[in-house]
Amino acid sequence: MNMEDIKHPELKNHINMIYMHGENKNQDAIEKTEEIIKEYIQDKYFIISVEDNEPVKIPYGNDNEYLVPIFTDALEYTNGMQYYSLNVMDENKDYIIEKLDYFKKLKEDPNFLGYIVNIARVSYIINITLI
């Protein structure tokens, strides 16, 4: 599988729906959409940033908490790497194409907050309850 094969327009639509439900303060619809996302990501492959075969960790909040960036298509990855270069974070970065459970040990790390989809636009955080 190569990067051009990775495309997740359905996930992007679900993320957009969560934002719309949030604007309407419809918590029930948000929870239903999150369940759909949880099902969707279970068997899908994503582009995951790595460095030395370990996931790239983006500091978030306090106390060493972090997110791991993932990308839903090649354009997101290209834009994300441009974002990295603006923030001097692109040195020695690479990617793999894997399922989100590839780094199983991340779930056991209390500092791991989840995966951030499209770091260049900070579109959505897939928190650990959805993984």
Side-chain angles (χ1 to χ4, degrees), residues 48-87:
I48 304 173
S49 293
V50 294
E51 183 175 19
D52 298 327
N53 296 319
E54 290 293 323
V56 170
K57 297 177 180 178
I58 305 296
Y60 189 85
N62 300 320
D63 303 324
N64 298 318
E65 294 174 331
Y66 64 91
L67 298 166
V68 172
I70 62 170
F71 305 93
T72 63
D73 60 39
L75 180 60
E76 267 187 22
Y77 180 76
T78 300
N79 291 338
M81 289 299 103
Q82 289 172 351
Y83 176 83
Y84 281 150
S85 68
L86 291 174
N87 291 288

